Amino acid sequence: MAKPKPVSETYRERRKAKSVSEMDGLHGKSASDKRMAKSLSELDGDERVIATAEQIVFSVDRLDTTHDMLSILSDFDSRFSLKIGRLQAHLEERFRSAQELVSRWAPPTANARYYLQAVDEIQSLVANAYIRDDMLERAQSVSRVAMDRLVQELQHSLRRHSLLPDTKWLYSRLSRPEDGGSAFNKEDSASEIVSLEDCQNVGLLLDLVRPEVVPDIRAIAKRLIAGQHDQECCRAYADVRKEFLDETLRQLGLEKLSIDEIHKTSCGPLEGKIKKWTQGIKIAVRVLFPGEKKLCNQIFQGMGLVEEVCFSETCELSMMQLLIFSEAMVISCRSSERLFRTLDMYETLSDLIVDVDSVFSDELISKEASNIVVRLGEAAEDTFWDFANSIERDDSKIPNTWDAIHPLSRYVMSYCGHLFDYSKTLLKLVQRKHPNNLNNPKAYHDPVARIIDSDSSDDESNTNSSLSEHLLKVLEILEWKLKENSKLCKDLPLAHLFLMNNIHFIVQKVKDSSELRAHLGDGWVKEHCGQVRQLATNYQRAAWYKVLGFLKDAGLYRNGGFSGGVSKGALKKRFKRFNAAFEDIYRTQKTWTVPDWQLREELRIFITEKLVPAYRFFVGRYRSQWDSERHAQKYIKYTPEDLENHIMKLFEGSSGSVDYRQCSKSFL
Amino acid sequence: MRTPAAATQGSSSSGSSPSGTVRNLFFSSRPQVHPMNHSHGSPSKEVAGSSQPGQGQGQGVEIFLRRVGEYFQTLVETPNDLLSLAWLQDVLATALGCESEFKVLVPRPKPPLSKAEEKIAADFFERSVKALDLCNAIRDGIDQVRLWQKHVEIVLCALDGRQRSLGEPQFRRARKALGDLALAMAAAVDDKDSPAGAAGLLLLASRNRSFGRPSQRGGDAPSHFRSLSWSVSRSWSAGRQLQAMGSNLVAPKSTEVAASNGLATAAYTMNNVTLFALWALVAAIPCQDRGLQTHFSVPRNFVWAAPLLSIHDKVMEESRKRDRRSSSSVGLLKEIHQISICVRHLSDLADTAKFPLAEQQDQEVRKLVLEIMNLWAILKDGLDPLEKQVREVFHRIVRTRTEAFDSFSRPISHD
């Protein structure tokens, strides 16, 4: 460490210099001066004038105090001393009346203006070159009392007249509405641009202190600075303003949290805190801090550094506190659920960087903020690339019901949907070059990253296509994961139904989103529609193959040929079995669910088309085998219409159709 | 609040810009390590050269432990006074140096990590998050000291020795500043920490505050000073945080060491180094709810154990000494301690002073002011570099975590 003694050294030097000048001054009354003064009184006429002039010239060379001149002149001629005496008396009178005002002044009856005038008077006396030493000391003493009083006064009136901004009003200045439900709404981003415009000036609209008092506070501050009490002035000002700023931020829901606390906060509450943060930091940087800056300017303009110091001491700590929160987010676990929140924070903070730069002149704050923006971006980007892996790693339990949409499907599709709300930001992030891509351990064993890195370039269409690749990969892994999952289902028809439902859900989501459709292409949609059909067929085969088998002629004839005639016993048995099998399927599959009504309808029709005509034909062919209708009805329990009605009741679910919006982890 | 972030990056081992190059740290060549400026026993070159990546990890751990031992031996022998600013900088240099050595050991992330390694890493990161808050709390504390410095500045300004005479007006201003200083210091002292100390300081504060001041308004100062103190919630405690960081930190069993290829020992050592550095900072710098009850139960067979424990004992002894004098719960930092002694002395003088001052008193005051000015200058020059180092520790921890997440988020294996 360097020797830290410059201050004391210069101090000592200056002290030395000062004492030299003091010795030379008339206050010190050096020996030569005394001799000269003495010899002067012994001279007469012209000589006396010349000697005095010489003395003055000599003094001018060495000294700069008017006091000394006056002293020389009063020695020269009694008229001077008379004048000087009168001047002193006048000063004394000025001092006394000012002193009286300062010491006897008592608010609220007294007028503050007179007090300030008296302070000015005292200050000007302290600075007055003609003032005698004893009066200077008294004036300084009175000035000190006055300064103390003014510091208190400053603090008092600031505290009394500071206004807490209305949080509702502050929120109303924000682009996004308070309820987060529509935070991903496209229309919002349009309205954001509009309100950003007037956000720039909101800070200037904000009155943090009653405007009518501001000139008074400025008047007090002026005296404090003039009285060289700038440090006390800054402390008093910043202490009070910081209190109010803290309180405002607290009312905006910005808590003081340690990184550890944020780290331990579970997902749900953290979402809330992040939302509060993104709103809060916008309000702070665009409204509150500029408001503080305006106030500092109104009060301290033209008073040198004080304006800047007061502002930074009021606001910098709060800014740092806000940044600590985002720091904690960067550090905390990078789960894909956090991606969009991280992107929110990234977008918010990178939008604000310009404002931070303009509000804070301290480079460190700006650097800190842009540093965090970079790391938020990295965190978001990493999470983005890692998403496919996170699906692969997903170990959510076997679903309770196999017929519903798997939470993973909802989750992934919700992710894909939201991706486009952030596509601009994401593209910007993905576009950034990785100079160390070769050394990137991620690229080494991450298939997705490898695919995309292999053709990464600055070209936007390329990046765009890398987004498509990402989507394709994500959906591919999702499908694979769903298939793996379906293998765990013991009931084969149900496994097919599960896959059909989920793939259909995915296709539907893609169809509903023009961006997704554009990125994945019509070919993808067509292919997956085909897959849904295939799965429906698979299901129908697995579920109904046996039942349809009962409607075949084979095995009903004696001697194995048509010529042998129908075996009544076999026929009876056949119908019995058919009825039992059908009822069995009906009973179980009535409780299964196909959440999408259209798909449900289509599937029922599909089954009906397969089953009912075959049944109708079968019944028509063998009804005549019974002697009487009564007999026949005993075995032919269902008319084809009955079957159709039953089939139309399939897949309703045990408790009606499930509202799937209620049961999944979501990005919102 | 001054927080050099990116500015401190230059001194980091990677020497890279803060943006975007986090990952290549794993591939950076061995960082240049210089424990401290005084060139005692600079670790030998062969040792440094022999732990290039690519050699067996077990051997690397051996070298790491030896190097940590060397760092701590250097720290024990530092000529800087215990708990002085310069000493704290030595402590942080030690921690940062050890961290650079540790980084060399961290394997290139190649999944899958063994179960044992995974457990060690998870535990390591759990503790490191706690270290981050301590870093922030210490930055707060440094800011707190800066605030005190401003009050000291007013005292120095008021009693500026260049003035012809130190009269009542000068003393009036100085006394008020002394009162504010005492208040600010009292606000930093947590009542739980040392009731006597806090009460004493508050008494001193009110004594000076009441001077020439209408009594009905005297009450509002303490409450608002309190609200300013810290950037964490009131319930946060540096002492508890330290304890949480050190809880269950026990030397790994030989089976664990074997299962993790020595990583367990290295992680244990690094945990202790970080904990020790932060503990020393909390001891010295004012923090919310300080508490030094952290125990270092380190087996003596670690090379670094003996020097670490000896420093720990010395600090504890100093702490006990100070507490007995009930002088300071505001941190054991030597310079703060000395300033507060001078300030106390000056306050007493100011209280009893009759004006005009007697020659002897005048001399005494001027001497004290000079002394305070020296200390003020030392603090002024030393706080910024110290804060930079704290910031650096913070960033290193963050970087290591970020890198680790890259390696942890790999699929472990899929069948």
Side-chain angles (χ1 to χ4, degrees):
Chain A
M1 202 174 106
K3 273 195 173 175
K5 285 183 183 167
V7 172
S8 58
E9 269 168 22
T10 51
Y11 166 75
R12 254 187 250 119
E13 271 161 30
R14 266 188 265 158
R15 226 184 105 56
K16 221 168 125 195
K18 183 78 181 179
S19 61
V20 169
S21 74
E22 274 168 10
M23 266 177 64
D24 289 349
L26 283 192
H27 296 292
K29 299 263 190 235
S30 73
S32 67
D33 287 336
K34 274 180 187 161
R35 195 176 54 236
M36 277 181 138
K38 193 185 167 196
S39 61
L40 193 67
S41 61
E42 286 162 4
L43 297 169
D44 275 325
D46 289 348
E47 277 186 323
R48 193 177 156 118
V49 174
I50 291 165
T52 307
E54 272 176 353
Q55 207 174 357
I56 290 173
V57 169
F58 179 67
S59 305
V60 166
D61 279 349
R62 298 181 307 156
L63 310 166
D64 54 0
T65 61
T66 331
H67 208 98
D68 301 331
M69 305 272 192
L70 288 172
S71 182
I72 295 163
L73 287 173
S74 58
D75 272 356
F76 168 66
D77 194 312
S78 60
R79 277 167 297 176
F80 278 110
S81 66
L82 205 72
K83 280 262 186 221
I84 291 162
R86 246 186 263 153
L87 176 68
Q88 291 297 342
H90 173 65
L91 289 176
E92 182 70 32
E93 200 185 306
R94 277 173 63 192
F95 171 69
R96 276 186 197 287
S97 62
Q99 183 190 30
E100 196 167 333
L101 249 169
V102 167
S103 54
R104 291 217 342 236
W105 187 73
T109 49
N111 191 332
R113 197 155 52 97
Y114 295 129
Y115 186 85
L116 292 178
Q117 276 170 3
V119 172
D120 288 343
E121 182 79 349
I122 297 284
Q123 293 301 352
S124 81
L125 282 172
V126 169
N128 193 312
Y130 304 104
I131 195 168
R132 278 199 321 271
D133 276 2
D134 66 313
M135 207 202 294
L136 177 68
E137 220 154 272
R138 278 184 292 150
Q140 279 178 337
S141 178
V142 173
S143 159
R144 219 56 92 175
V145 175
M147 289 298 135
D148 274 6
R149 182 57 180 267
L150 287 179
V151 170
Q152 282 172 16
E153 226 31 70
L154 179 88
Q155 207 153 17
H156 178 72
S157 41
L158 253 184
R159 185 164 290 140
R160 206 168 135 211
H161 299 293
S162 278
L163 304 162
L164 273 177
D166 178 37
T167 31
K168 277 204 190 106
W169 183 83
L170 288 174
Y171 275 128
S172 74
R173 302 290 119 185
L174 271 186
S175 42
R176 289 180 177 175
E178 201 177 344
D179 73 297
S182 53
F184 296 108
N185 202 322
K186 279 282 126 186
E187 284 160 29
D188 277 350
S189 50
S191 69
E192 185 172 15
I193 296 161
V194 179
S195 43
L196 278 187
E197 295 293 334
D198 47 66
C199 241
Q200 310 287 335
N201 304 314
V202 170
L204 305 177
L205 294 174
L206 186 66
D207 283 319
L208 295 166
V209 171
R210 268 180 245 288
E212 63 272 19
V213 205
V214 170
D216 297 345
I217 297 176
R218 178 171 165 84
I220 295 175
K222 231 178 186 165
R223 269 73 187 186
L224 284 172
I225 309 302
Q228 279 150 20
H229 271 54
D230 20 9
Q231 283 130 317
E232 281 96 336
C233 177
C234 289
R235 281 261 55 75
Y237 177 87
D239 282 356
V240 177
R241 281 311 313 159
K242 183 141 185 31
E243 260 176 77
F244 279 87
L245 181 62
D246 277 355
E247 179 56 25
T248 310
L249 293 174
R250 201 189 59 76
Q251 287 187 1
L252 287 172
L254 299 165
E255 304 158 77
K256 290 179 170 181
L257 288 170
S258 68
I259 292 178
D260 201 22
E261 281 165 331
I262 296 167
H263 194 66
K264 280 178 186 154
T265 310
S266 59
C267 251
L270 192 64
E271 296 269 292
K273 287 187 205 303
I274 294 171
K275 209 171 282 170
K276 284 258 156 62
W277 182 88
T278 48
Q279 292 174 334
I281 194 168
K282 269 189 204 163
I283 293 175
V285 172
R286 291 219 170 112
V287 186
L288 297 176
F289 297 157
E292 293 289 348
K293 196 156 189 159
K294 182 191 77 169
L295 185 63
C296 281
N297 182 268
Q298 286 173 335
I299 293 176
F300 299 112
Q301 193 188 24
M303 300 184 202
L305 276 175
V306 177
E307 184 182 343
E308 189 51 48
V309 171
C310 282
F311 170 73
S312 61
E313 289 195 2
T314 306
C315 297
E316 276 185 9
L317 196 67
S318 302
M319 186 65 213
M320 288 310 302
Q321 191 56 40
L322 285 165
L323 290 179
I324 284 179
F325 182 85
S326 45
E327 186 104 57
M329 282 303 294
V330 173
I331 294 158
S332 66
C333 170
R334 295 181 177 186
S335 65
S336 22
E337 292 93 35
R338 296 265 177 90
L339 174 64
F340 297 113
R341 286 288 92 95
T342 312
L343 282 168
D344 276 342
M345 294 180 78
Y346 171 81
E347 284 182 349
T348 304
L349 200 54
S350 54
D351 273 1
L352 288 176
I353 285 289
V354 183
D355 306 75
V356 172
D357 283 352
S358 78
V359 171
F360 292 97
S361 56
D362 189 344
E363 228 177 81
L364 291 171
I365 297 255
S366 304
K367 269 189 186 163
E368 188 94 344
S370 31
N371 189 5
I372 289 176
V373 168
V374 169
R375 288 194 287 127
L376 275 170
E378 280 170 357
E381 196 194 347
D382 287 350
T383 318
F384 171 71
W385 290 131
D386 192 47
F387 186 71
N389 289 328
S390 82
I391 305 172
E392 211 173 328
R393 283 196 302 273
D394 179 83
D395 54 355
S396 48
K397 299 261 157 48
I398 298 168
N400 291 333
T401 49
W402 280 100
D403 45 0
I405 305 301
H406 196 281
L408 192 64
S409 309
R410 293 186 192 292
Y411 176 64
V412 173
M413 293 321 289
S414 156
Y415 164 88
C416 292
H418 291 324
L419 216 49
F420 293 102
D421 294 330
Y422 297 90
S423 58
K424 242 189 181 157
T425 309
L426 272 171
L427 285 179
K428 206 168 74 195
L429 287 173
V430 172
Q431 237 168 8
R432 286 190 321 202
K433 269 195 169 174
H434 279 291
N436 54 337
N437 245 347
L438 280 178
N439 289 342
N440 182 351
K442 182 183 298 294
Y444 178 65
H445 39 113
D446 182 341
V448 183
R450 208 165 52 223
I451 290 167
I452 292 159
D453 284 349
S454 65
D455 62 2
S456 76
S457 82
D458 285 344
D459 185 7
E460 190 173 333
S461 67
N462 246 337
T463 347
N464 229 327
S465 79
S466 72
L467 193 60
S468 308
E469 296 238 29
H470 175 69
L471 285 170
L472 279 171
K473 183 78 191 171
V474 161
L475 292 182
E476 192 183 307
I477 292 181
L478 174 62
E479 281 167 42
W480 170 82
K481 190 78 185 174
L482 288 170
K483 274 174 194 146
E484 289 297 299
N485 249 313
S486 73
K487 287 177 191 161
L488 300 171
C489 181
K490 299 276 186 304
D491 191 332
L492 189 61
L494 187 55
H496 289 306
L497 198 73
F498 164 78
L499 273 181
M500 182 198 71
N501 274 336
N502 278 282
I503 304 288
H504 179 78
F505 173 80
I506 294 167
V507 175
Q508 243 8 75
K509 286 283 166 193
V510 172
K511 277 180 171 172
D512 288 349
S513 150
S514 55
E515 287 109 334
L516 269 177
R517 204 180 175 136
H519 271 275
L520 293 168
D522 286 339
W524 186 95
V525 174
K526 219 169 154 187
E527 185 198 325
H528 283 76
C529 283
Q531 253 189 55
V532 173
R533 269 194 305 277
Q534 184 56 47
L535 285 163
T537 312
N538 291 353
Y539 151 80
Q540 178 263 319
R541 279 200 190 129
W544 297 95
Y545 177 77
K546 215 171 107 192
V547 179
L548 281 167
F550 294 131
L551 301 181
K552 284 188 178 137
D553 297 329
L556 287 177
Y557 293 89
R558 278 185 227 112
N559 307 326
F562 289 117
S563 53
V566 176
S567 152
K568 250 197 178 161
L571 194 62
K572 280 181 190 169
K573 215 172 174 183
R574 201 44 98 67
F575 269 103
K576 264 188 187 163
R577 281 172 142 185
F578 173 86
N579 291 339
F582 180 78
E583 278 158 20
D584 189 41
I585 290 179
Y586 175 73
R587 212 172 29 250
T588 42
Q589 300 203 5
K590 194 176 66 165
T591 62
W592 291 1
T593 315
V594 176
D596 184 273
W597 70 269
Q598 211 175 341
L599 182 66
R600 189 164 62 225
E601 212 53 30
E602 282 173 20
L603 192 65
R604 285 165 177 167
I605 291 167
F606 184 61
I607 298 165
T608 311
E609 280 172 355
K610 288 274 170 197
L611 187 68
V612 175
Y615 184 70
R616 195 189 304 274
F617 182 78
F618 190 76
V619 171
R621 186 164 183 164
Y622 296 105
R623 180 179 288 274
S624 55
Q625 295 295 324
W626 276 280
D627 306 333
S628 69
E629 188 60 22
R630 203 174 55 84
H631 233 107
Q633 271 174 7
K634 198 175 161 194
Y635 294 95
I636 310 171
K637 241 169 127 176
Y638 303 101
T639 65
E641 288 70 32
D642 286 340
L643 277 191
E644 204 174 329
N645 287 338
H646 276 85
I647 290 169
M648 285 303 159
K649 283 180 197 152
L650 294 178
F651 316 121
E652 288 285 4
S654 43
S655 55
S657 69
V658 184
D659 183 4
Y660 54 76
R661 268 162 303 183
Q662 290 171 349
C663 56
S664 65
K665 57 178 168 176
S666 98
F667 286 100
L668 290 175
Chain B
M1 182 154 149
R2 262 145 261 297
T3 41
T8 64
Q9 302 265 352
S11 61
S12 75
S13 60
S14 71
S16 60
S17 73
S19 63
T21 47
V22 164
R23 287 178 204 97
N24 67 1
L25 257 166
F26 279 113
F27 306 91
S28 65
S29 56
R30 187 180 187 75
Q32 289 301 305
V33 187
H34 36 82
M36 277 164 233
N37 286 341
H38 56 97
S39 62
H40 161 83
S42 177
S44 60
K45 272 187 186 140
E46 316 86 80
V47 174
S50 63
S51 64
Q52 290 295 343
Q55 65 169 74
Q57 189 178 296
Q59 201 192 341
V61 172
E62 277 303 305
I63 292 163
F64 167 69
L65 294 179
R66 208 179 329 139
R67 299 269 300 178
V68 172
E70 283 163 356
Y71 268 112
F72 270 87
Q73 196 52 44
T74 317
L75 184 61
V76 166
E77 290 161 17
T78 173
N80 293 319
D81 289 344
L82 191 77
L83 292 164
S84 66
L85 258 181
W87 181 82
L88 282 182
Q89 290 180 9
D90 288 347
V91 169
L92 284 171
T94 302
L96 287 169
C98 294
E99 206 266 351
S100 301
E101 299 286 334
F102 181 67
K103 188 145 274 173
V104 177
L105 285 180
V106 177
R108 211 177 156 117
K110 45 177 178 226
L113 285 175
S114 76
K115 271 269 179 299
E117 284 167 329
E118 225 173 285
K119 213 181 117 214
I120 292 163
D123 177 74
F124 186 78
F125 290 123
E126 194 61 38
R127 288 181 204 281
S128 71
V129 176
K130 296 191 163 62
L132 294 179
D133 279 324
L134 284 164
C135 288
N136 278 339
I138 288 155
R139 272 164 65 199
D140 271 358
I142 291 173
D143 254 10
Q144 202 71 30
V145 178
R146 286 204 183 101
L147 184 73
W148 301 347
Q149 286 274 89
K150 286 187 182 129
H151 293 298
V152 173
E153 226 170 286
I154 299 176
V155 176
L156 293 175
C157 194
L159 298 179
D160 187 339
R162 283 166 293 177
Q163 293 169 93
R164 255 179 292 142
S165 65
L166 297 173
E168 200 183 339
Q170 285 82 10
F171 268 87
R172 168 184 269 273
R173 188 180 180 192
R175 286 182 61 161
K176 185 152 179 309
L178 285 169
D180 286 342
L181 173 63
L183 254 181
M185 282 181 142
V189 177
D190 202 283
D191 305 6
K192 278 177 276 171
D193 213 29
S194 162
L201 282 166
L202 274 170
L203 193 72
L204 181 65
S206 64
R207 197 178 64 185
N208 281 318
R209 281 242 136 188
S210 63
F211 186 88
R213 166 170 207 195
S215 57
Q216 77 269 14
R217 224 176 279 159
D220 45 62
S223 64
H224 80 256
F225 265 112
R226 276 203 154 262
S227 74
L228 292 176
S229 301
W230 313 106
S231 63
V232 283
S233 63
R234 290 291 304 159
S235 59
W236 192 85
S237 150
R240 255 186 291 129
Q241 191 78 3
L242 274 175
Q243 274 177 330
M245 207 185 145
S247 73
N248 300 322
L249 185 59
V250 284
K253 297 183 197 97
S254 54
T255 48
E256 288 171 310
V257 177
S260 64
N261 203 8
L263 195 68
T265 318
Y268 171 73
T269 301
M270 198 54 224
N271 274 328
N272 269 300
V273 171
T274 313
L275 180 63
F276 170 78
L278 292 171
W279 173 83
L281 282 164
V282 169
I285 304 283
C287 282
Q288 183 166 300
D289 192 15
R290 292 165 62 251
L292 305 178
Q293 294 81 16
T294 310
H295 289 291
F296 288 86
S297 48
V298 186
R300 291 271 170 179
N301 57 348
F302 284 104
V303 209
W304 46 267
L308 184 147
L309 291 171
S310 91
I311 300 169
H312 177 258
D313 290 348
K314 275 190 225 160
V315 171
M316 285 313 282
E317 196 186 325
E318 188 62 28
S319 162
R320 273 191 293 274
K321 235 195 291 176
R322 298 270 183 92
D323 275 349
R324 210 176 304 137
R325 281 191 240 138
S326 80
S327 64
S328 157
S329 300
V330 292
L332 299 173
L333 189 67
K334 193 181 138 221
E335 286 83 359
I336 296 179
H337 179 60
Q338 287 172 334
I339 279 194
S340 66
I341 290 174
C342 290
V343 159
R344 210 165 281 267
H345 200 153
L346 195 60
S347 295
D348 290 344
L349 268 172
D351 279 349
T352 55
K354 295 271 187 305
F355 299 100
L357 282 182
E359 180 66 20
Q360 190 213 341
Q361 262 185 326
D362 186 81
Q363 288 305 314
E364 211 171 330
V365 170
R366 284 173 197 272
K367 211 183 113 215
L368 272 174
V369 168
L370 209 61
E371 210 171 314
I372 294 175
M373 186 169 277
N374 275 327
L375 291 164
W376 177 84
I378 293 173
L379 277 173
K380 185 173 178 288
D381 293 344
L383 285 178
D384 284 356
L386 184 74
E387 188 182 2
K388 269 188 190 176
Q389 280 177 307
V390 174
R391 208 55 205 143
E392 176 66 17
V393 170
F394 184 96
H395 282 303
R396 293 261 190 108
I397 293 170
V398 169
R399 231 176 287 149
T400 314
R401 278 183 69 86
T402 316
E403 287 152 18
F405 279 128
D406 278 351
S407 61
F408 284 156
S409 55
R410 305 289 116 239
I412 290 158
S413 66
H414 243 294
D415 279 40

